[in-house]
């Protein structure tokens, strides 16, 4: 690790401190192409990811005593060119978006693939956030996609900025585990999915297909090679991009019409519907299970 960590940054009004704090704003991120990463878990995952992408993390700021108490971060920073400073509690508070920063923050570059690059990798599972606007929901879906082994997460235009501090925190480091692409044109996504043989599955409470029935059919095909899926029914084991809609309005008519199939998560209790993050978790795991079973 660079010896810069031994130098103490103590002025909360310093230009460097103000520059980091501005990353909490959309304009600050847009003008620099960077975003704020807060807390040990998120910074740890960012530094691990930077081992494969050395330009990802550019700055790290740790509270006094933090690196001594957490030597794993010293090891992760060792040999890197990451600008590192020890800072006072006041400085860390001035930089952070939260009122109770957890001892360390980092600055990372926004590095996204293109849609063409995502589909060139022949993805099996993609989570698509269609105008999902709540940072917590976006983070939940991204974490679920990560845990389910998805190949990418795509956010269409009108969705939350996944790089705003609250959204970044809600991903708890999963943001650094798989390709993420934001502000995507939905029509372009639908066309590329169709061209590349990836079925579009609309998570829709009024969808014509029951998710449980699709899972049962997938199990049957696993044990009976002659039980193929019909053209009128999606096969969960096939390459799929799941569409998850806006919290209040759900999927738009355009998004539903562009999808190949509408799929409903069955409700066995009295709840009227599922939160989009919960529904996404169920759907992504259904596909992941079918694909890994095959």
């Amino acid at each position: 690790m660079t010896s810069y960590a031994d130098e103490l940054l103590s002025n909360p009004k310093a230009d460097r401190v103000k520059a980091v704090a501005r990353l909490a704003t959309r304009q600050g991120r847009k003008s620099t192409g960077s975003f704020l990463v807060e807390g040990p878990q998120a910074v740890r995952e960012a530094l691990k990811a930077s081992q494969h992408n050395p330009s990802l993390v550019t700055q790290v700021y740790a509270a006094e005593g933090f690196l001594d108490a957490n030597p794993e971060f010293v090891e992760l920073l060792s040999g890197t060119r990451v600008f590192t400073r020890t800072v006072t509690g006041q400085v860390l508070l001035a930089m952070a978006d939260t009122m109770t920063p957890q001892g360390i923050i980092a600055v990372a570059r926004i590095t996204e693939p293109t849609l063409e690059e995502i589909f060139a990798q022949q993805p099996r599972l993609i989570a698509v956030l269609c105008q999902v606007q709540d940072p917590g929901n976006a983070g939940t879906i991204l974490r679920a996609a990560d845990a389910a082994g998805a190949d990418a997460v795509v956010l269409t235009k009108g969705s939350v900025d996944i790089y705003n501090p609250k959204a970044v925190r809600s991903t708890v480091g999963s943001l650094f585990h798989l390709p993420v692409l934001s502000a995507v044109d939905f029509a372009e996504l639908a066309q590329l999915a169709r061209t590349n043989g990836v079925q579009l599955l609309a998570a829709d409470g009024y969808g014509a297909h029951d998710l449980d029935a699709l899972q049962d059919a997938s199990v049957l095909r696993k044990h009976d090679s002659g039980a193929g899926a019909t053209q009128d029914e999606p096969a969960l084991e096939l390459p799929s991009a799941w569409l998850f809609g806006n919290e209040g309005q759900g999927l738009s008519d355009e998004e539903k019409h562009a999808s190949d199939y509408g799929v409903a998560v069955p409700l066995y209790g009295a709840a009227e519907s599922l939160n989009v993050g919960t529904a996404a978790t169920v759907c992504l795991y259904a596909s992941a299970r079918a694909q890994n079973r095959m």
Side-chain angles (χ1 to χ4, degrees):
M1 184 183 63
T2 175
S3 60
Y4 289 138
D6 297 328
E7 300 181 26
L8 181 65
L9 181 57
S10 59
N11 181 6
K13 296 183 179 181
D15 289 343
R16 177 174 293 279
V17 176
K18 293 178 181 178
V20 173
R22 278 196 294 271
L23 298 179
T25 68
R26 182 182 291 271
Q27 184 56 42
R29 294 188 294 275
K30 183 177 179 180
S31 63
T32 62
S34 298
F35 65 103
L36 192 63
V37 184
E38 299 182 73
Q41 174 66 13
V43 174
R44 180 188 299 111
E45 298 310 306
L47 288 172
K48 287 180 180 178
S50 69
Q51 294 174 354
H52 305 286
N53 180 8
S55 64
L56 175 63
V57 178
T58 59
Q59 303 168 47
V60 166
Y61 299 93
E64 294 176 274
F66 180 88
L67 294 178
D68 290 334
N70 298 272
E72 63 177 313
F73 287 91
V74 177
E75 183 176 349
L76 286 169
L77 287 162
S78 179
T80 72
R81 296 185 177 181
V82 177
F83 179 92
T84 307
R85 277 283 196 276
T86 299
V87 301
T88 63
Q90 281 189 321
V91 167
L92 197 68
L93 183 61
M95 288 178 166
D97 179 66
T98 60
M99 295 302 296
T100 55
Q102 299 177 47
I104 190 168
I105 64 174
V107 174
R109 295 187 189 280
I110 297 173
T111 57
E112 296 190 338
T114 64
L115 271 178
E116 290 78 8
E117 288 171 337
I118 288 175
F119 282 104
Q121 297 299 313
Q122 299 181 316
R124 298 281 295 168
L125 185 58
I126 301 174
V128 183
L129 284 66
C130 299
Q131 302 183 66
V132 172
Q133 296 177 345
D134 180 78
N137 285 333
T140 296
I141 297 173
L142 201 152
R143 290 176 68 190
D146 178 19
D151 299 293
V153 172
V154 174
L155 297 91
T156 67
K157 293 177 180 177
S159 294
V160 65
D161 179 359
I162 196 63
Y163 301 102
N164 87 49
K166 185 175 181 180
V168 173
R169 290 195 300 274
S170 71
T171 72
V172 197
S174 285
L175 178 62
F176 304 105
H177 294 169
L178 73 171
V180 177
L181 179 58
S182 56
V184 168
D185 179 75
F186 177 77
E188 182 183 0
L189 166 71
Q191 180 59 47
L192 277 171
R194 192 160 289 112
T195 300
N196 287 274
V198 176
Q199 62 183 350
L200 290 177
L201 303 180
D204 177 14
Y206 299 99
H209 301 277
D210 180 279
L211 184 63
D212 277 4
L214 295 180
Q215 292 183 90
D216 291 342
S218 174
V219 173
L220 179 62
R221 285 191 293 274
K222 171 64 176 178
H223 297 289
D224 182 357
S225 59
T230 70
Q231 290 186 346
D232 296 327
E233 178 183 275
L236 294 178
E237 62 268 23
L238 294 179
S240 305
W242 277 98
L243 309 181
F244 305 112
N246 173 269
E247 291 85 352
Q249 305 300 320
L251 292 167
S252 68
D253 289 340
E254 175 194 2
E255 291 155 354
K256 291 179 184 178
H257 291 157
S259 66
D260 296 300
Y261 305 98
V263 181
V265 177
L267 302 175
Y268 298 111
E272 180 182 357
S273 62
L274 289 175
N275 167 276
V276 65
T278 303
T281 301
V282 173
C283 293
L284 291 168
Y285 263 90
S287 282
R289 188 180 182 205
Q291 292 176 358
N292 284 285
R293 184 189 299 117
M294 301 304 288

